[in-house]
Amino acid sequence: MSESVPLCSSLSEIYTNDLLKHGARFQSLTQAFIDTYGFKPSFIARAPGCVNIIGEHIDYCGFPVFPMAIVPDFLIAVRATDESLVRLANLNPKYEASTFSCAPHTAVTINKTQHEWTNYFKCGYKGAIDAVGCAKPYGMQCLIDSSVPASSGLSGSSALVCSALLATMKVNGKALSQRDIVEIAVACERLIGINGGGMDQTASIMSHPQSAMFIEFDPVLRVTPVKFPSTTPPIAFVIANTLVVSDKAVTASVCYNLRVVETRIGALLLAKHLGIADRSVCKDVDPLTFKIVMDEYLSAEDCGGSDCNSDNDYDDDGKTEGIESWISRLDTMLKEVQKAFGTHPEGYTREEMALALNMTPAELSAAIHEDKFPVQAEKFKLLQRAQHAFSEALRVVRFRQICESGDTNTDYFQELGELMNQSQDSCRDLFECSCDELDELCSIARRAGAFGSRLTGAGWGGCTVHLIPASNVDGFIAVLKEEFYAKHTPELKGDALDDAVFVTAPASGAAFYEFS
């Protein structure tokens, strides 16, 4: 069983730097709670945002990713009550206070057509109550504060869901392992209408300070802390927000959920192309992912009797054991992707996909669960989406391999940075989840000395992440402020500008702060 979420009585157990700043924030939240509800909160639930260093849009394909938690986070100050109400308030005046019933046998409803901030809290609340079978939940007074920019690609929505789930569990005296909490958070966030994977929730709950996380999803969830190489000067990462808002829930049918559907239909057609669609591992699973297709096709039966499955690619200590197997298998699949979809570089219509799968369009719609996650497209670009998924997985594996190599002759800045740049190119050209501002910011960053620059998060706006030498941080940020922010958002000054572009390091995962 994985560890439980830590209980902390000192902020030094949560944050490694700027303790006075964090202390002032916690005190401000506590006083605001008293001003709002007339009582001191019992505890604060904390869940951080995260930045994905590499591995975009492939968690829901079953492939590993490489994120790290960041310091910006969601805090929920909480007090249990005997009334059958959950009261929500937010320090940000943009978000109105709200109340919903938690009376026994009262269903918590989430209206996906109304894009309200409280829906994310309700997802976490409902996930917790349903998972632990709480027949008579306590009422809750909650005050929420966030330092994660909204709709920025830094997993703020998942951090809110996770912190709400944690708060609800603790109020009701329930405790689960980190792994169980992640699985609940992934499932309940889909109630909002986002057909996502599990990277954001895993990174928010299970991250370790000073380490990025190599997260595997198939055949089981497995998290391996990976430290960045020791270099002179040290490696640093700068996050820069384009300030182009991209709300996954609002644009899901033409952006995020559409990409999920394209990879899911791609997996179905790829399995048929490879002659394995009728095998139970492909036929009886929902959803079928590219990772499942790859593992089944390259199982012992299909690669000369040698076990090519990825289950043993890493040993118990998490050290790279079968990297070359990963690389070989992913290269093989990229060739098969070209054979399977290369005849339709412009994409497939619904009718063409249904015909290829021996389905009616209605049956195809049911197979991809459009009743829950509707999508809109004239053509589905299966070739490009599959090419991105398999090549991005290859970059993630190579990124970890380089980090763990310990080779003193390796130019870590150059090699890791090049993988990040290739990822951005693939996100832009194959997965089409970039935008003009993201492309411009990455271009400016590379001219300013970034070895690697790419979008992070869902894309279509939001944030970028840049690999630079720590000695160049101040000058690098100054160039971004002058060449990008002064041009696009000249009104942004002071703390607001500093919040848009900042250096970051791997931070700790979720925690409870208990008042001593």
Side-chain angles (χ1 to χ4, degrees), residues 61-64 218 267 270-271 274 276 279 281-282 288-300 302-303 308-311 313 325-334 336 389-390 393-394 397:
C61 298
F63 289 129
D218 184 87
L270 185 58
L274 296 171
I276 60 174
R279 296 185 189 178
V281 72
C282 294
L288 180 64
T289 65
F290 283 138
K291 172 65 161 52
I292 294 172
V293 171
M294 179 179 75
D295 286 348
E296 180 62 19
Y297 178 60
L298 298 178
S299 62
D302 295 289
C303 45
C308 298
N309 199 288
S310 66
D311 294 5
D313 280 350
S325 173
W326 265 106
I327 293 172
S328 174
R329 292 183 301 117
L330 289 165
D331 280 338
T332 296
M333 295 308 296
L334 280 166
E336 293 299 334
F390 284 101
L394 188 55
V397 171

Side-chain angles (χ1 to χ4, degrees), residues 193-196 251-253 255-262 373-375:
I194 301 298
N195 194 8
T251 62
S253 65
C255 293
Y256 191 92
N257 285 355
L258 176 59
R259 294 298 181 274
V260 176
V261 162
E262 287 174 312
F373 309 107
V375 296

Side-chain angles (χ1 to χ4, degrees), residues 88 90 94-100 109-123 157 160-161 192 247 249-250:
L88 305 178
N90 199 307
K94 174 182 176 181
Y95 303 113
E96 295 183 0
S98 180
T99 301
F100 64 89
T109 58
I110 299 168
N111 188 342
K112 293 185 288 187
T113 65
Q114 296 182 358
H115 302 291
E116 300 174 343
W117 75 273
T118 53
N119 280 349
Y120 293 97
F121 185 98
K122 288 180 179 179
C123 283
S157 58
L160 176 52
V161 171
I192 206 75
D247 190 322
V250 174

Side-chain angles (χ1 to χ4, degrees), residues 73-331:
D73 52 18
F74 266 83
L75 304 177
I76 305 182
V78 186
R79 177 177 174 270
T81 71
D82 291 327
E83 61 178 353
S84 297
L85 292 173
V86 175
R87 299 183 183 275
L88 305 178
N90 199 307
L91 283 187
N92 189 333
K94 174 182 176 181
Y95 303 113
E96 295 183 0
S98 180
T99 301
F100 64 89
S101 174
C102 62
H105 313 297
T106 300
V108 176
T109 58
I110 299 168
N111 188 342
K112 293 185 288 187
T113 65
Q114 296 182 358
H115 302 291
E116 300 174 343
W117 75 273
T118 53
N119 280 349
Y120 293 97
F121 185 98
K122 288 180 179 179
C123 283
Y125 178 88
K126 181 173 174 58
I129 295 299
D130 290 350
V132 299
C134 190
K136 189 178 180 181
Y138 282 99
M140 298 171 66
Q141 294 172 335
C142 302
L143 182 59
I144 297 159
D145 182 39
S146 171
S147 55
V148 184
S151 303
S152 62
L154 299 179
S155 308
S157 58
S158 294
L160 176 52
V161 171
C162 288
S163 55
L165 195 161
L166 293 173
T168 306
M169 283 175 40
K170 187 167 178 60
V171 158
N172 289 284
K174 306 296 182 180
L176 294 171
S177 70
Q178 291 177 328
R179 186 183 305 277
D180 288 340
I181 291 168
V182 166
E183 292 177 355
I184 296 166
V186 172
C188 70
E189 190 166 340
R190 293 182 180 136
L191 298 173
I192 206 75
I194 301 298
N195 194 8
M199 180 192 72
D200 298 346
Q201 300 85 351
T202 308
S204 186
I205 296 294
M206 300 181 72
S207 280
H208 292 235
Q210 312 306 321
S211 296
M213 311 301 290
F214 183 82
I215 303 174
E216 300 167 86
F217 302 96
D218 184 87
V220 295
L221 177 65
R222 181 161 55 175
V223 176
T224 306
V226 178
K227 292 187 179 298
F228 293 107
S230 177
T231 59
T232 305
I235 287 173
F237 291 96
V238 169
I239 295 174
N241 191 347
T242 63
L243 301 174
V244 175
V245 174
S246 179
D247 190 322
K248 287 195 294 186
V250 174
T251 62
S253 65
V254 294
C255 293
Y256 191 92
N257 285 355
L258 176 59
R259 294 298 181 274
V260 176
V261 162
E262 287 174 312
T263 67
R264 297 279 161 80
I265 297 176
L268 292 170
L269 280 171
L270 185 58
K272 184 175 181 182
H273 162 77
L274 296 171
I276 60 174
D278 290 332
R279 296 185 189 178
S280 60
V281 72
C282 294
K283 183 175 61 174
D284 299 336
V285 68
D286 185 14
L288 180 64
T289 65
F290 283 138
K291 172 65 161 52
I292 294 172
V293 171
M294 179 179 75
D295 286 348
E296 180 62 19
Y297 178 60
L298 298 178
S299 62
E301 178 183 338
D302 295 289
C303 45
S306 61
D307 187 359
C308 298
N309 199 288
S310 66
D311 294 5
N312 298 315
D313 280 350
Y314 297 97
D315 63 21
D316 291 339
D317 295 327
K319 298 299 182 183
T320 303
E321 186 78 357
I323 285 289
E324 296 308 319
S325 173
W326 265 106
I327 293 172
S328 174
R329 292 183 301 117
L330 289 165
D331 280 338

